[in-house]
Amino acid sequence: MTQDESTIRDVVDTWFTATKSGDLPTVLDLMTDDVIFMAPGRPPFGKMEFAAASEGIKNFQIDGTYDIQEVQVLGNWAYLRNHIRMTITPPDGSPAMHRSGYTLTILRKDLDGRWRLTRDANLLAAETAATP
């Protein structure tokens, strides 16, 4: 594994750790200012919309796991395929939501040498009883 691949895996780990602890500033720092997220059922959205949505669920408990399937580095660009399982528990005692699926993420190494998310296609969907 190259240093860049290892660093990209650390970005994903940091993202998950920060998400679980509710550390939105750290998550936002892991993305470029021109980031675009694509998710089923809604138009693409950017960093400001991501931050607003995160603020809207800041009292929810978020837990999950990930399994990076592939990392490819191409100069100052990279992509990764990832399988994610998440559990989102509302603070009001409502049933937890379980989502899983794949993501395809493009990262860019910025001038400061840090890898950041710049595009993300998130295909997580509600889990059904048959999902392992």
Side-chain angles (χ1 to χ4, degrees):
M1 179 181 322
T2 69
Q3 179 63 43
D4 282 328
E5 291 174 37
S6 178
T7 301
I8 289 167
R9 289 174 183 273
D10 289 344
V11 167
V12 175
D13 190 57
T14 300
W15 184 293
F16 265 76
T17 300
T19 297
K20 288 179 184 183
S21 68
D23 184 358
L24 182 59
T26 294
V27 173
L28 294 175
D29 190 48
L30 295 172
M31 58 182 84
T32 62
D33 288 337
D34 65 344
V35 68
I36 295 175
F37 292 94
M38 295 168 284
R42 65 177 297 178
F45 58 96
K47 193 172 191 174
M48 288 177 38
E49 294 87 353
F50 181 95
S54 296
E55 280 294 326
I57 61 168
K58 68 181 177 184
N59 294 323
F60 287 52
Q61 180 183 3
I62 299 174
D63 198 6
T65 60
Y66 65 90
D67 179 21
I68 296 173
Q69 307 283 302
E70 176 183 15
V71 176
Q72 293 292 324
V73 178
L74 309 158
N76 288 334
W77 294 88
Y79 70 86
L80 71 90
R81 288 186 310 112
N82 200 2
H83 185 266
I84 297 173
R85 294 186 79 194
M86 296 197 73
T87 301
I88 305 163
T89 306
D92 65 2
S94 298
M97 298 167 274
H98 303 278
R99 297 184 139 344
S100 64
Y102 291 90
T103 64
L104 180 60
T105 304
I106 300 173
L107 300 102
R108 182 176 68 216
K109 187 186 267 190
D110 282 340
L111 295 176
D112 64 2
R114 292 186 55 211
W115 286 99
R116 290 184 172 89
L117 274 74
T118 192
R119 301 292 184 267
D120 188 75
N122 182 319
L123 302 174
L124 272 61
E127 287 188 353
T128 62
T131 302

